[in-house]
Amino acid sequence: MIFFIDPNTKKNWVPTSKHAVTVSYFFDSTRNVYRIISLDGSKAIINSTITPNMTFTKTSQKFGQWADSRANTVYGLGFSSESHLVKFAEKFAEFKEAARLAKEKSQEKMELTSTPSQESAPGDLQSPLTSESINGTDNDRVTPDTPQHPEARAEPSQNALPFSHSSSSINKHWEAELAALKGNNAKLTAALLESTANVKQWKQQLAAYQEEAERLHKRVTELECVSGQTTGIKSQKTELNRTIEELELALKAKEEELERLKAEVESANEFRSQRDSLTQRLQETEVRNQTLEAQLTDLEQRLESSQLEREAFRKSLRSLLELLDSKIFELNELRDALAKLLEGS
């Protein structure tokens, strides 16, 4: 059974299903992470990403739990035996170590890719698109482009390059991630179609096996009715029963294969929902980019009009100064004339 902690009391366990369900480990090759997944029909009960900081704790002989900080909850699992619990804990530790190694490799790749760019342009300013803005939330992506000082409003033409550069980088990142998901979705769809065709073929084979089993049962009954308990009839009956058992085992194997295909179909549906979510986020990013471009255009128009007004003011000021100089010159001439008149008198 699967449980999760009550979000209100933080003490009581709440069951998520009325019956036992399968809990599986899953490697997400797109994000390079390991997950713990459990499905109840088409509903995902557990979708927990394994991180190096997680710890699986055995609280009793048949019960264990772990905390998922991303989902903001604590999951609990009840097992039918202690051996199943021990096996799950060992696998948890194994995939936890694998997640740690994958994280270290990812950090080493990021350091190797960031070092050459820093050496080639040591005097340039840092780009506003950082690793936090790529992997963070929508608020993190907006923060690098938002002006932090009043001086940025006086020169909007200098801020135009970071706006467009950040928006285009975010779009490229989401487009690459969406393309990867589309590729995985296409592969899963092809596998699903192939599996559906195989299921139809297996159903036909199962129907043929069932008909053969019924025919053999009738044959055994006829032989028992026709002849007595002879040695030859007994050996033939034993052989027929063995054939029936083999057919039943083949039928059971086909049923297990059918269950596995159903699980793959549910996984494909989950990838499809992730693709739709990324498409919506990409559209929101494009709308935000258009808004920023409109604001930038408005600021450029304001700056241009402000420059025109300033130029007109300078021209009027020059004409006023020229007029003032002429008036001062006339006043000086008038003062000199008055001074000469006073000296002559």
Side-chain angles (χ1 to χ4, degrees), residues 250-261:
L251 177 63
K252 184 177 180 181
K254 296 299 182 183
E255 289 177 350
E256 292 177 353
E257 184 69 16
L258 184 61
E259 292 295 330
R260 185 184 66 81
L261 291 174

Side-chain angles (χ1 to χ4, degrees), residues 4-133:
F4 68 92
I5 203 70
D6 190 349
N8 297 323
T9 62
K10 298 295 184 181
K11 294 181 180 179
N12 300 327
W13 290 105
V14 179
T16 60
S17 61
K18 297 181 181 179
H19 52 83
V21 294
T22 303
V23 180
S24 305
Y25 290 97
F26 174 75
F27 177 69
D28 189 352
S29 60
T30 304
R31 301 180 181 274
N32 197 24
V33 295
Y34 294 87
R35 299 178 184 273
I36 301 175
I37 293 179
S38 179
L39 300 174
D40 187 6
S42 60
K43 178 183 178 183
I45 302 176
I46 298 178
N47 187 4
S48 178
T49 302
I50 301 177
T51 63
N53 298 327
M54 281 187 177
T55 302
F56 183 79
T57 305
K58 294 184 286 186
T59 57
S60 65
Q61 293 182 352
K62 297 182 179 180
F63 192 86
Q65 66 183 42
W66 79 92
D68 190 344
S69 59
R70 297 185 177 181
N72 194 21
T73 188
V74 179
Y75 293 103
L77 295 181
F79 297 86
S80 59
S81 62
E82 186 177 2
S83 61
H84 291 165
L85 174 61
V86 173
K87 185 176 181 180
F88 184 87
E90 292 175 352
K91 288 292 182 180
F92 190 96
E94 178 182 348
F95 287 111
K96 174 183 174 182
E97 181 64 17
R100 185 185 66 81
L101 295 176
K103 183 178 180 181
E104 291 178 355
K105 290 181 179 179
S106 177
Q107 290 178 351
E108 290 176 359
K109 290 181 179 179
M110 291 178 63
E111 291 175 358
L112 291 175
T113 54
S114 62
T115 303
S117 61
Q118 293 176 359
E119 293 177 355
S120 60
D124 295 337
L125 293 177
Q126 185 178 1
S127 172
L129 185 61
T130 61
S131 60
E132 293 181 356
S133 67

